[in-house]
Amino acid sequence: MRHERHLHPDEDLEERGSLLASLEGKLVVGQSGGPTAVVNASLAGVIQEAVQHEAITGIYGMRHGVEGLLRADLIDLEAESAETVELLKHTPSAALGSCRHKLSEADYGRILEILRAHGIRYFLYIGGNDSADTSHRLAALAAREDYELRVIGIPKTVDNDLVATDHCPGHPSVARWLATSVRDAGLDTEAIGVVDTVKVIETMGRDTGWITAATALARTHEDAAPHLIYLPERPLRREQLLADVEAVYRRLGRVVITVCEGQKDERGQYFSASTKAVDVDRFGHPQLGGVAAVICDLIATELKIKARFDKPGTIQRVSAALVSPVDVEEAWRVGQAAVAHAVAGATGRMVALRRERDEPYRSAIELVPLEQVANRVRPVPDEFIAPAGHDVTEAYLNYIRPLIGGPLPAYARLRGKAVTRA
Amino acid sequence: MRHERHLHPDEDLEERGSLLASLEGKLVVGQSGGPTAVVNASLAGVIQEAVQHEAITGIYGMRHGVEGLLRADLIDLEAESAETVELLKHTPSAALGSCRHKLSEADYGRILEILRAHGIRYFLYIGGNDSADTSHRLAALAAREDYELRVIGIPKTVDNDLVATDHCPGHPSVARWLATSVRDAGLDTEAIGVVDTVKVIETMGRDTGWITAATALARTHEDAAPHLIYLPERPLRREQLLADVEAVYRRLGRVVITVCEGQKDERGQYFSASTKAVDVDRFGHPQLGGVAAVICDLIATELKIKARFDKPGTIQRVSAALVSPVDVEEAWRVGQAAVAHAVAGATGRMVALRRERDEPYRSAIELVPLEQVANRVRPVPDEFIAPAGHDVTEAYLNYIRPLIGGPLPAYARLRGKAVTRA
């Protein structure tokens, strides 16, 4: 892993101005939203950079993000050993604890009070678009209240749905996990498809198909799984699904389908969404899940073909065993760069990744306004979705391949020379 | 990986007698039942041993087990390169193709005809208790028909439910996969349990809890997941489940449950079993799955707590990424030993694993009558199940630990020194 200290020359003038003005104070960092395999690598990057700056007089962690910050539930990250911080790079989930907490106007005021009371001048928040919104609002309030606070967002989401960044730390690892696991599960169906004919693998991704698309990396030969890949960017008519399944079944005698938890049908409705009040989170997103079960039932009922599903659920997003080494390195780097930029004067920005080249892969850090990222969602673009609506394109594969960190391990494939004479 | 040639001195007298009589002929090997991460290692063991015996005049593979054999759909395994065979050791699923085919009386006769026509004198079948029954019946028929045929069963099942063997190749790898994945998924809940409170992880295992039990290896500290482990050896009353969940929830504010697909309730009924005819396989086993969804619904309805489930499905049994190195080595060895014993005269036997010591772990090969294994199921014994019915015992952990091949990688855990003054 390269650990270059990072400060890019392309900050705007306001930031260049601030370069001169050193701001002394404590730093607080939090983790928000769904955990990932590498969000602790970002935390390690923050801590390992922060300890090197004299302007930073303390490094605090929020317990469970802003939910803990609201209660002043903070921990002293300088009390952690260097070994622990280094090991964070390879520890999945969110070591500080995470949350999905939508702050009220009063909450923002309360947070500013707490920051002020603790002498905190650096606010770093690792998360997705909800978190970018939180950070943006806090930065705006601090400016209005004339409290000098440097606010930097650090991107993190397996969903890969943030705008203004080539990709999101966390996503390449779930992509590698799914490429590997769907390849194996596909070989399983290839072997036992004579009885377990149709397999539906439900992926995460909410309303975007980035995670589902990555299952295309599982393919190692023409007839390899997955045979049908459905992205929520395209509504899926039940008749089309059944026709697609039947066509593959007639050709190969088996079918492996990957589908996103947020897939919608011809009426624009989720294939299945719980309507229980307990299942709607505090941002109002309905709790998804169940599409694979619904599709299996549809196939069994309409086509009289046995269908089962795998739903790896949270395991896919947080598994440390199959992380992308590119992802670990970039996750660390966005954390590190966030601190370097904040110390240099940046605020109200998110650290983004810009792809510089594919082979060998190289990315650079840039800063984008938090406002641009807040609450916006980047769907899989048209050029990445095959016209038939059940596959990805070569352009997509060129996008994702460099991110997962090298090819999957080689497997044996029997040539299978038939024995002809008896 | 040690590749000792293996022939044990403890065959019975009948076999010792046969040691002198070399039997010349072809060998056929097949794979049956659910694929695993290491069943191809057993195939590699068979091929790599068979090529060393002059008595073996050809090495054939059945395509999709006895289903292919019935059609004389055989491939010539000597036509595969040494590199391909070597790579089989690290290739998941069943490279020959698998099946779940219950043979009729007429089928056995047909198979004997095909074996005779091809000059096949060695029949090796890699599978579980259904396959042991198939092999046993074929051996009996060959004896009645006075056709000298050496029939050896090679154990394979992730379920670990075969009698007369310490454990079954394939199981240690699913145990390692679940230990690793449930640990990660448990850390996910630990981080985001403030909103995603209850997680149910559904494992395979059919009617025995061996696979579910292995999730106990995920625990790294006292309050770590899984908090409740339910094995189908104990019926689970709905009231008990809800009381267990509530108790953990009150103590920790989050709950991770692991439960077997074949869990039964207070009435001895599966928590959920499909009753669709299309979902009953040819051995009459009902298609399981759905228990996690039912439990989530029960918890949400009765306790008003949000519950979601992960169901890794076939991914758990076939993932090559987290195989146990002990398992790969033993899977190879049972394949290798099966050939060595068959050439030496054994027939009607299954190659079994006997544990010789725990630390360092060492196992030996022994032969057991196929008849003893056929159609029998070994449940998790009482001494491995905690009296409360929602955990395993230390005796179980001592049984499973040596099999998964070394401890899981270390993770960072923050000591979390609280910031007290403002």
Side-chain angles (χ1 to χ4, degrees), chain A residues 74 76 91 93 98 184 187-188 191 199 276 287 297 306 308-311 314 317 320 412 417 419, chain B residues 74 76 91 93 98 184 187-188 191 199 276 287 297 306 308-311 314 317 320 412 416-417 419:
Chain A
L74 302 173
D76 181 0
T91 300
S93 190
S98 191
D184 291 353
L187 287 174
D188 185 294
K199 181 181 294 172
K276 289 198 179 68
Q287 190 65 62
D297 197 60
K306 188 161 123 179
R308 300 186 72 177
F309 71 90
D310 295 349
K311 179 178 174 276
T314 59
R317 76 177 174 198
K417 185 188 163 204
V419 172
Chain B
L74 302 173
D76 181 0
T91 300
S93 191
S98 191
D184 292 354
L187 288 173
D188 185 294
K199 182 181 295 173
K276 288 198 182 69
Q287 189 65 62
D297 196 61
K306 186 161 122 180
R308 300 186 72 177
F309 71 91
D310 295 349
K311 178 179 174 274
T314 59
R317 76 176 172 197
K417 185 187 164 205
V419 172

Side-chain angles (χ1 to χ4, degrees), chain A residues 18-19 21-26 112 115-116 119-123 138-139 141-151 342-347:
Chain A
S18 306
L19 271 169
S22 160
L23 176 65
E24 200 165 276
K26 301 201 178 74
L112 202 58
L115 297 179
R116 219 189 271 267
I120 293 169
R121 295 290 185 174
Y122 298 92
F123 179 95
L138 181 65
L141 177 67
R144 284 200 305 277
E145 301 276 319
D146 217 21
Y147 180 72
E148 194 171 358
L149 182 69
R150 308 248 172 101
V151 177
V343 170
T347 187

